[in-house]
Amino acid sequence: MKGWTVGTLAGLRYPLLEPAFQTRRLKRDVSSNEDELLDKLRHGQVQAVALERGRAQYWNERVEGSRCQPSESAGSLPVMLRLHPQRRDLLPKLNQAIQALNSQGKLKPLFAFRGGGAP
């Protein structure tokens, strides 16, 4: 994948990919939404995109994403949520829910789509 351009979503961090972006082994392309991200993939502007598994499966079932081939998982990371300071009282309950989902195997790792050619 060295030299590939990987599509990502604006505002999201990709800790497993950051070292490759920083050393320029991979180029990062930023899209404002998933439609734009997958359009770039279908049109060959990027060679791969990074999406959460559930979102990738959703798009793969739709016509817009059907020409994209999901790859293996790119890795997994702990869940991180941003919580408004006024709602900090919810943090313990959210942490418990995340731990419960993780222990049940319901949190899925990030994976990428590879391009499937031009439309």
Side-chain angles (χ1 to χ4, degrees), residues 15-119:
L16 294 174
L17 297 174
E18 289 302 327
F21 292 146
Q22 290 174 357
T23 60
R24 303 199 195 294
R25 284 182 287 137
L26 295 176
K27 298 173 194 147
R28 182 177 186 173
D29 182 87
V30 179
S31 295
S32 60
N33 59 55
E34 291 170 349
D35 283 323
E36 179 184 345
L37 186 68
L38 289 174
D39 278 344
K40 289 179 180 181
L41 181 64
R42 283 191 302 274
H43 295 137
Q45 296 169 322
V46 298
Q47 288 76 47
V49 298
L51 285 175
E52 184 272 327
R53 179 179 299 276
R55 296 301 301 159
Q57 288 172 337
Y58 165 81
W59 281 105
N60 199 44
E61 293 170 2
R62 298 177 52 108
V63 172
E64 300 94 326
S66 63
R67 289 186 298 270
C68 303
Q69 299 298 314
S71 71
E72 295 299 317
S73 294
S76 62
L77 295 169
V79 173
M80 181 190 82
L81 298 173
R82 291 184 184 184
L83 188 62
H84 193 281
Q86 292 176 341
R87 305 303 302 197
R88 72 174 48 104
D89 58 311
L90 296 176
L91 187 59
K93 288 182 182 180
L94 286 171
N95 283 337
Q96 288 174 347
I98 290 168
Q99 288 173 349
L101 289 170
N102 193 36
S103 66
Q104 295 168 13
K106 293 186 178 180
L107 293 180
K108 304 297 181 196
L110 173 80
F111 80 110
F113 270 138
R114 292 186 308 258

